[in-house]
Amino acid sequence: MNRSMVNLRQSPLWMRSLMALSGLPLLVLLAGCPDDSLPPPAAAGSMPIAATAPSTSRSTVYPSQPTPALQAAKPQTSKASGPSAQQTASQQPQQPASLPNAPATQQTSRKAQDLINRVETTYNSGVSNYNANHLDAARMDFDSAVDLMLSSGMDLKGDQQLADEFESLVSRINSLEMVALKEGNGFSPKVEPAPLDVALGEVTFGPPDPALLGKVNAELKTTQSDLPLVVNNYVAGFISYFSNSQAGHAHLVASLERAGKYKEMIQRILRENGVPQDLIYQAVAESGFQPQALNARSGAGGMWQFMPFAGAYNLERNGYFDERFDPEKSTVAYAKYMKGLYAQFGDWYLAMAAYDWGPGNVQRAVSRTGYADFWELLRHNAMPAETRAYVPGIIAAAIMAKNPQQYGLANITPMAPVLFDTVSTSYAIDLRLVADLTSASVSEIVALNPALLRMQTPRDIPYDLRLPPGSKQVFLERLKDIPEDNRASWRFHVVKAGETLDDIATNFHARATEISSVNEITAANPMATGDELVIPIHSSGSNGEQHYKARRGDTLVTIADHFGVTVEQLRSWNHMSTNTVAAGRTIFVAEPVRLAPSVRASRTKRGARTSVKASSRSSAHSPAHSAATKSSASNRKSAPSTKAGAKKTTKKK
């Protein structure tokens, strides 16, 4: 749902709240942020962020200078209206040269400032690409800027200068994403509107239709629900719209089909938390069961549309992942919050209204009118139009879903439940390598991990990586052969019939000599069909995207020839219409994978991919090579002929 109705009193929740170094999270809270009557479980800090958000118009965004230590905080914009203030530049103070005998604190401060300078340079490159509408390149730069801080080894929590910079950086990048998404060209893909968002402005609440009211009342007598269900002209208006409007009906059908992916999980969590399981239909109003739904105007995100506020419920948001987009963790947060709202109001309809509008606003409406009843507040026009429509729309969706024959929903085929194995990672691993190791497609891995903001897991931050069901054992077995420091850039490949070493090297943009060395391929022990090879790759980027910076004289024809792709592919990946490439422009030379659940998560057994070029952050290749050769001395094995999870055979002699 639209999160424009955010109380200005809630704005101080955007605070400096960098928590443990292992995440530096900017935690999130529901849009209906609790007031004093329902305090959040975790207290936040008290200072606003140091940088204002860029303009929501497509006007030029000017790069900022490196952020000085303890820069004076600037006024914060209301989250109700989205980013609105033009970002301003701050002057970089002159830094004294570091002397040999300078105090440790002075040297540390200089080191921190040097890091900030590099981060800001990278961020400003992203802003330049953003202004040029090169959004893919902008995202590369923004990811690189965050990477510089997370991989610096410096105390990002204890050093206030770095803490300010990190929070400001994440906030500025998020604000630019909101602007781009609002215009339909965001870094993240657009998501289908939720059914209730489509219905707003279309539903009419005229005199009730006696025939429809009689029909629905008769159905309610045999409809089982653990949530109170009533019918009146407001509910009937939504039932009529979802039944008779082609667009309304199509969006409801699509929403209920997607619900199959998460229904068992959601109802289990609701049951475990002691709230009605039919609250699942609130997701119809919020997101249409889309884990990566994002409201461009307010910044609310995920299946349950949490706001990006610092606060509660252990939903972490950092440079690598945003747990608002994790279906299971966000559902746990939703269930706990709804349980608290019901404890406050003692009525599920008021609790739902408070979820949309905020409990403080609902409480004041009750005090002002004297009615602790949603329908009375509606009749007295005590709530905004969105909230007045919110509860009837959810009730209508629940009634229709529970009576599919009567409302043309009998032929709905729910999507298969999302099933997965889980491994805990505290190392960076590229999702392309994960796909290689599990014999899955990259899209499948991306779909299973919607909370990941980029193409790799975080380094030195615990993360539960989801794998296709039945693939955990083969993943762990194959992973042993790849040194931890190289998992963000190296690849894995099962040799196909007719492939040569040069073919494999060309496909992965690797070196045949290094593939031979790491896998002990010799004239006496040649490569054979079915062998499992570790593919060492020199990383050319820091965020898992394979890209190339054009030089003077380059054209799409010469670049396509160099990287073994077609000109048509380069045009598609980079949104280009001509073969001309400006010198200095960064372009994709492999298909950029969008981080969105665009495919079903049910796993299909497929061969290892060779067309996706790997490129991600890793340590320097050369120092790791000798150690990698030893650790990978037994890594060339015959691929298992059975399904994922079977043990591999011993090394081919």
Side-chain angles (χ1 to χ4, degrees):
M1 282 297 295
N2 190 329
R3 286 289 172 260
S4 60
M5 296 300 194
V6 180
N7 194 323
L8 290 178
R9 291 179 56 193
Q10 299 165 355
S11 61
L13 286 171
W14 272 97
M15 306 168 183
R16 306 187 194 286
S17 182
L18 296 177
M19 311 302 269
L21 174 60
S22 62
L24 303 172
L26 296 175
L27 302 183
V28 294
L29 188 61
L30 290 166
C33 179
D35 59 9
D36 293 340
S37 61
L38 187 62
S46 58
M47 296 178 68
I49 61 175
T52 56
S55 171
T56 55
S57 67
R58 198 66 177 96
S59 58
T60 299
V61 179
Y62 296 97
S64 63
Q65 298 297 323
T67 306
L70 301 178
Q71 177 185 0
K74 296 174 182 158
Q76 180 187 338
T77 60
S78 166
K79 297 301 171 290
S81 58
S84 61
Q86 183 75 358
Q87 185 176 341
T88 58
S90 58
Q91 296 299 321
Q92 168 65 29
Q94 295 294 325
Q95 296 290 338
S98 179
L99 301 177
N101 297 322
T105 54
Q106 180 179 340
Q107 294 184 17
T108 301
S109 177
R110 181 56 184 269
K111 185 178 180 181
Q113 190 61 55
D114 288 344
L115 173 61
I116 290 174
N117 291 344
R118 287 186 285 122
V119 168
E120 289 295 324
T121 298
T122 306
Y123 169 79
N124 290 339
S125 174
V127 171
S128 297
N129 279 315
Y130 175 86
N131 287 330
N133 206 33
H134 300 155
L135 297 183
D136 289 327
R139 182 173 184 175
M140 292 179 192
D141 289 330
F142 294 149
D143 285 350
S144 297
V146 175
D147 280 345
L148 282 173
M149 300 205 73
L150 293 177
S151 63
S152 67
M154 301 185 69
D155 185 1
L156 302 189
K157 175 191 174 186
D159 188 315
Q160 187 63 48
Q161 185 180 14
L162 294 178
D164 290 347
E165 173 67 12
F166 184 82
E167 184 176 357
S168 171
L169 178 68
V170 172
S171 178
R172 284 178 284 160
I173 292 172
N174 185 67
S175 296
L176 285 170
E177 163 73 350
M178 296 302 103
V179 177
L181 190 71
K182 185 175 182 180
E183 297 180 358
N185 58 358
F187 312 136
S188 302
K190 291 192 71 175
V191 178
E192 178 183 312
L196 211 58
D197 287 333
V198 177
L200 291 176
E202 299 291 333
V203 178
T204 58
F205 304 110
D209 181 348
L212 179 60
L213 287 177
K215 173 188 173 183
V216 178
N217 275 313
E219 291 166 354
L220 288 183
K221 294 179 181 179
T222 58
T223 301
Q224 295 183 350
S225 175
D226 54 3
L227 185 70
L229 297 178
V230 300
V231 62
N232 49 37
N233 60 313
Y234 302 103
V235 175
F238 274 99
I239 291 178
S240 177
Y241 172 77
F242 287 135
S243 298
N244 301 316
S245 164
Q246 183 176 355
H249 188 75
H251 279 86
L252 181 62
V253 167
S255 180
L256 295 178
E257 286 177 342
R258 285 189 296 267
K261 299 170 66 175
Y262 311 106
K263 183 176 182 179
E264 294 179 7
M265 177 270 293
I266 293 174
Q267 291 189 325
R268 170 180 57 81
I269 291 174
L270 296 178
R271 182 173 61 252
E272 291 172 352
N273 284 274
V275 296
Q277 294 179 51
D278 281 346
L279 281 176
I280 186 176
Y281 296 107
Q282 196 162 347
V284 173
E286 292 296 335
S287 67
F289 294 97
Q290 297 173 99
Q292 284 197 324
L294 188 63
N295 187 299
R297 179 162 56 175
S298 68
M303 187 182 298
W304 303 104
Q305 291 292 279
F306 283 83
M307 286 291 291
F309 288 155
Y313 304 125
N314 296 318
L315 289 178
E316 292 190 24
R317 173 176 170 264
N318 55 41
Y320 281 96
F321 56 84
D322 188 335
E323 289 183 344
R324 294 181 300 162
F325 304 118
D326 183 293
E328 189 162 354
K329 291 183 179 181
S330 65
T331 298
V332 171
Y334 162 77
K336 292 180 182 295
Y337 190 66
M338 284 300 293
K339 187 174 183 178
L341 291 175
Y342 181 76
Q344 177 177 350
F345 293 101
D347 179 271
W348 286 115
Y349 293 164
L350 288 179
M352 286 189 280
Y355 188 96
D356 180 67
W357 191 29
N361 291 325
V362 173
Q363 188 64 60
R364 283 186 286 275
V366 169
S367 299
R368 185 171 63 253
T369 63
Y371 292 106
D373 179 85
F374 174 82
W375 304 110
E376 288 297 333
L377 295 179
L378 187 153
R379 294 184 187 100
H380 285 77
N381 203 29
M383 299 175 292
E386 176 188 302
T387 307
R388 295 199 302 271
Y390 185 75
V391 174
I394 295 171
I395 296 173
I399 292 174
M400 295 178 70
K402 286 180 166 295
N403 296 276
Q405 295 284 352
Q406 292 88 325
Y407 298 105
L409 304 174
N411 294 326
I412 286 180
T413 302
M415 293 183 180
V418 176
L419 303 176
F420 51 83
D421 292 343
T422 303
V423 294
S424 181
T425 65
S426 58
Y427 50 83
I429 181 170
D430 190 277
L431 297 190
R432 296 176 180 87
L433 176 58
V434 176
D436 293 343
L437 297 174
T438 57
S439 300
S441 69
V442 178
S443 295
E444 288 178 83
I445 303 302
V446 168
L448 287 172
N449 296 276
L452 278 177
L453 301 178
R454 53 183 63 193
M455 285 300 299
Q456 71 177 45
T457 59
R459 192 184 301 273
D460 299 325
I461 300 175
Y463 184 80
D464 290 333
L465 177 67
R466 293 170 179 171
L467 308 174
S471 66
K472 179 176 180 178
Q473 187 60 38
V474 72
F475 171 84
L476 294 175
E477 284 293 321
R478 290 171 168 175
L479 188 66
K480 293 177 183 177
D481 297 328
I482 301 179
E484 184 172 308
D485 287 344
N486 299 106
R487 292 170 182 172
S489 59
W490 286 20
R491 297 291 297 278
F492 174 90
H493 180 65
V494 179
V495 180
K496 299 180 177 67
E499 279 188 318
T500 67
L501 188 59
D502 286 339
D503 291 336
I504 297 171
T506 299
N507 285 334
F508 284 101
H509 295 292
R511 298 172 182 172
T513 55
E514 292 184 352
I515 297 175
S516 297
S517 176
V518 170
N519 294 279
E520 295 184 324
I521 300 172
T522 64
N525 187 23
M527 180 183 73
T529 301
D531 279 358
E532 297 182 348
L533 303 182
V534 171
I535 312 295
I537 293 178
H538 290 269
S539 175
S540 65
S542 62
N543 66 344
E545 310 280 7
Q546 180 73 35
H547 53 281
Y548 169 77
K549 181 171 286 188
R551 302 172 184 175
R552 180 175 297 179
D554 276 338
T555 67
L556 287 191
V557 175
T558 61
I559 296 173
D561 181 67
H562 178 75
F563 286 98
V565 297
T566 67
V567 173
E568 288 72 22
Q569 286 175 316
L570 291 179
R571 286 177 178 172
S572 173
W573 297 336
N574 296 280
H575 310 293
M576 300 172 67
S577 58
T578 69
N579 291 347
T580 304
V581 183
R585 175 172 177 178
T586 300
I587 67 172
F588 285 107
V589 292
E591 183 175 8
V593 178
R594 307 301 181 185
L595 298 186
S598 58
V599 298
R600 294 189 185 184
S602 57
R603 181 169 181 265
T604 302
K605 178 79 174 185
R606 301 184 183 178
R609 292 169 58 98
T610 59
S611 60
V612 179
K613 283 74 178 176
S615 165
S616 187
R617 188 186 71 204
S618 71
S619 58
H621 173 75
S622 298
H625 185 270
S626 59
T629 303
K630 294 179 181 180
S631 65
S632 301
S634 61
N635 63 358
R636 186 160 55 97
K637 307 168 185 177
S638 298
S641 58
T642 56
K643 293 183 178 180
K647 292 185 177 179
K648 295 186 289 184
T649 61
T650 57
K651 176 181 177 292
K652 184 178 72 67
K653 297 296 185 183

